[in-house]
Amino acid sequence: MMLRSTGIALALAVALTGSPSQAADGAQVYALTGTCGVMTIDGNDLASQCDGKLVSFTTPNGRVGFIFTVGDMMLTFSGRGEDQTSLAGERASQPIDTIRLAHPDQDPEKLDTRPGSGTCVYGNPFARAMTVSCTVTAQQQLYRGEFVTDGTPPAGGAM
């Protein structure tokens, strides 16, 4: 089942700001295309339901994250951008402190938000194909997402 455009827009705004009542003005949002090879939610392997799109974002308040689309839901990994560290080979490690699960037709005020602990490691999508690899533990469950871009430069920019 495909997410409807309004559902995607609302879930994206909530993922970026933490609340549907806050504006996402000034956020940097990029859509990446490629292949999702790993997707684990609540310890369940859902890789076959993960699609070929990933959204990368940075909010005006400094949160950085990635949104994976899995079947009819979205899984967001996010953390404070100021905690990010540079790695060799134009890569970065982003500590993750929150995950969010969003389903279509879900009340945006009641998104499943879980504190977590883990990281997303990723490369420069403007330079070449790269991998985004996130591993987080939240509420004693494992959440993993791995996405390999196809080398197409990301679409998007400031909202």
Side-chain angles (χ1 to χ4, degrees):
M1 176 172 149
M2 295 295 290
L3 287 172
R4 289 176 282 171
S5 296
T6 55
I8 291 171
L10 180 56
L12 181 57
V14 171
L16 293 176
T17 64
S19 166
S21 62
Q22 295 175 330
D25 289 343
Q28 294 288 319
V29 180
Y30 293 97
L32 304 162
T33 56
T35 305
C36 184
V38 174
M39 179 49 56
T40 305
I41 297 177
D42 288 332
N44 298 308
D45 179 3
L46 300 175
S48 65
Q49 296 178 40
C50 192
D51 76 5
K53 296 177 184 69
L54 178 77
V55 173
S56 168
F57 66 85
T58 302
T59 66
N61 69 355
R63 293 207 52 91
V64 172
F66 300 95
I67 303 171
F68 290 80
T69 305
V70 185
D72 65 349
M73 70 178 154
M74 288 191 267
L75 172 62
T76 302
F77 297 92
S78 70
R80 296 172 354 137
E82 65 193 39
D83 296 334
Q84 188 176 107
T85 57
S86 293
L87 302 173
E90 286 191 85
R91 295 182 319 131
S93 177
Q94 173 62 56
I96 302 298
D97 59 22
T98 304
I99 61 165
R100 282 195 177 90
L101 293 167
H103 300 272
D105 304 322
Q106 181 176 14
D107 179 349
E109 297 290 344
K110 297 180 181 177
L111 286 182
D112 187 354
T113 301
R114 302 175 185 186
S117 178
T119 59
C120 289
V121 174
Y122 60 97
N124 178 354
F126 291 98
R128 62 188 162 279
M130 61 90 181
T131 300
V132 175
S133 181
C134 300
T135 303
V136 175
T137 300
Q139 297 179 343
Q140 300 178 347
Q141 294 291 327
L142 178 65
Y143 297 84
R144 288 188 61 216
E146 187 171 289
F147 188 88
V148 179
T149 67
D150 59 12
T152 303
M159 286 180 75

